[in-house]
Amino acid sequence: MKLAQRIRQARRQRKLSQKALAALVGVQRSAVSNWESVNSVQPAMATMIAICNATNVSLEWLATGQGKMQAAQDVDSDVPGADTEDADAPYKRDLLRAFRGMSHRSRILLLELAEALVSTRRTRRAHARTK
């Protein structure tokens, strides 16, 4: 199942119109229509998180089609990787738990910060290679 189909399924399961989902996510109705179309327009990660919050589906399922569709009530059980080897270090588990406990706005800000840090690191590596 493609992302467009998962977005549509999540929206319909919550009995939301495209307009209602758009209002909950903070976008125009046409954006929802584009995400659900065959044009494969994909929302930004922050918007995907907002879709998950509005439709009560897990980010893992929405983004990849893997895992459970419904978001879990237990903080750690809905965090992909929280119980895997990747989260073996205590700080990784703490970071995942903290992220899940944040408000939507805080999550967006943290994601933007993380993306900026990764981008800066890549730029530094590329610059170092050209020297």
Side-chain angles (χ1 to χ4, degrees):
M1 180 183 305
K2 293 186 177 189
L3 176 61
Q5 294 167 313
R6 290 191 300 274
I7 293 172
R8 182 178 299 115
Q9 182 178 348
R11 177 180 60 78
R12 287 180 175 172
Q13 178 183 317
R14 285 294 307 257
K15 296 179 175 47
L16 296 171
S17 65
Q18 287 183 344
K19 184 177 180 179
L21 178 60
L24 289 170
V25 174
V27 298
Q28 297 292 317
R29 189 212 52 84
S30 60
V32 177
S33 178
N34 286 333
W35 301 333
E36 294 182 0
S37 75
V38 294
N39 297 334
S40 298
V41 175
Q42 296 188 359
M45 181 55 71
T47 305
M48 297 252 309
I49 292 169
I51 293 168
C52 291
N53 289 335
T55 60
N56 196 34
V57 299
S58 74
L59 180 59
E60 179 183 20
W61 177 82
L62 187 65
T64 68
Q66 307 269 328
K68 294 180 181 178
M69 179 181 182
Q70 288 302 122
Q73 298 302 320
D74 177 25
V75 170
D76 287 337
S77 66
D78 190 36
V79 180
D83 294 317
T84 65
E85 292 177 24
D86 190 42
D88 58 348
Y91 72 90
K92 291 179 183 178
R93 188 173 195 70
D94 292 345
L95 181 60
L96 291 168
R97 184 178 293 114
F99 181 81
R100 293 295 294 167
M102 291 179 179
S103 69
H104 172 71
R105 180 164 171 72
S106 294
R107 287 180 185 177
I108 291 171
L109 292 172
L110 182 60
L111 282 171
E112 289 173 354
L113 173 62
E115 289 169 353
L117 289 171
V118 168
S119 177
T120 301
R121 188 174 183 187
R122 286 182 187 147
T123 302
R124 286 182 187 161
R125 284 183 183 167
H127 183 69
R129 287 184 197 137
T130 59
K131 285 186 175 183

